Amino acid sequence: MRTEVAALIIIDMQKGMANPAVGPRNNPAAEGNIALLLQAWRAVDGPVVHVRHISRTPGSVFWPGQSGAEFQDALAPLAHAHVVEKNVPDTFINSGLERWLRARGIERLVVVGVSTNNSVEASVRTAGNLGFDVAVAEDACFAFDKVDYAGTQRSGAEVHAMALANLDGEHARITTTAALLAALPAGR
């Protein structure tokens, strides 16, 4: 069975991402854009995968049973949605996601979420290497401020831009929420 609408993969949009302990970030409109995409995918009955990071590190905001591990209310999966739990950045590692996609004939993916340079980048690299046709909505992802290897403080915007540059053309095409919405078929 082949699907005409790409699978929307929403990575790590959990309550812990709003915890001040995770630090400053770029793109405060990301959650709103993800919500627009989620609403549109639901309207056309497109496949949606919600990914949740479950930490192995005690004290993490994503430790099991903590409120930070829960999905953000506005982006929570519906009862029938596919949910993937992971404990490494790459969504495809030990999750069964590739098998789930292949069993449904899904070859195209739209990836959104957090953080651009970590779970998004790791997951998109693997998806591209596995032969999936991947798009990343740059305005529906975000990254946190980070010190680079040379010791220079980088803003979330700089980290985000570099991660997108790492992916663009080789592992995915970088696009926007508006372009993705414009390309969707009319609601069913």
Side-chain angles (χ1 to χ4, degrees):
M1 168 176 93
R2 290 186 53 121
T3 183
E4 53 193 64
V5 177
L8 177 64
I9 299 181
I10 303 172
I11 298 178
D12 297 350
M13 292 309 302
Q14 296 160 253
K15 292 179 179 178
M17 290 301 171
N19 187 316
V22 296
R25 59 173 264 205
N26 76 314
N27 197 8
E31 287 88 347
N33 288 328
I34 295 168
L36 288 172
L37 291 166
L38 180 57
Q39 179 182 16
W41 251 254
R42 287 175 176 166
V44 298
D45 199 26
V48 177
V49 177
H50 294 265
V51 179
R52 173 177 31 217
H53 186 80
I54 300 298
S55 180
R56 295 180 189 168
T57 306
S60 166
V61 297
F62 307 109
W63 183 256
Q66 302 287 328
S67 64
E70 297 173 12
F71 289 107
Q72 293 179 18
D73 294 338
L75 303 172
L78 298 176
H80 66 278
H82 188 62
V83 175
V84 169
E85 291 190 348
K86 65 181 183 60
N87 48 37
V88 297
D90 190 332
T91 301
F92 286 88
I93 300 298
N94 298 322
S95 71
L97 178 58
E98 179 186 9
R99 183 178 63 247
W100 187 88
L101 294 166
R102 301 262 190 231
R104 286 153 184 78
I106 299 170
E107 298 175 8
R108 296 173 38 239
L109 311 176
V110 170
V111 178
V112 300
V114 64
S115 73
T116 317
N117 62 303
N118 194 351
S119 294
V120 171
E121 186 171 354
S123 301
V124 169
R125 284 175 178 269
T126 296
N129 289 338
L130 290 171
F132 289 99
D133 177 12
V134 186
V136 176
E138 60 88 10
D139 56 353
C141 297
F142 61 92
F144 298 96
D145 293 5
K146 186 172 181 68
V147 176
D148 71 17
Y149 188 71
T152 303
Q153 179 67 41
R154 302 294 178 176
S155 70
E158 291 172 310
V159 174
H160 177 77
M162 183 54 72
L164 293 173
N166 291 340
L167 297 173
D168 190 29
E170 186 171 354
H171 302 284
R173 70 187 171 290
I174 309 304
T175 188
T176 64
T177 297
L180 290 166
L181 293 173
L184 275 179
R188 295 179 186 165

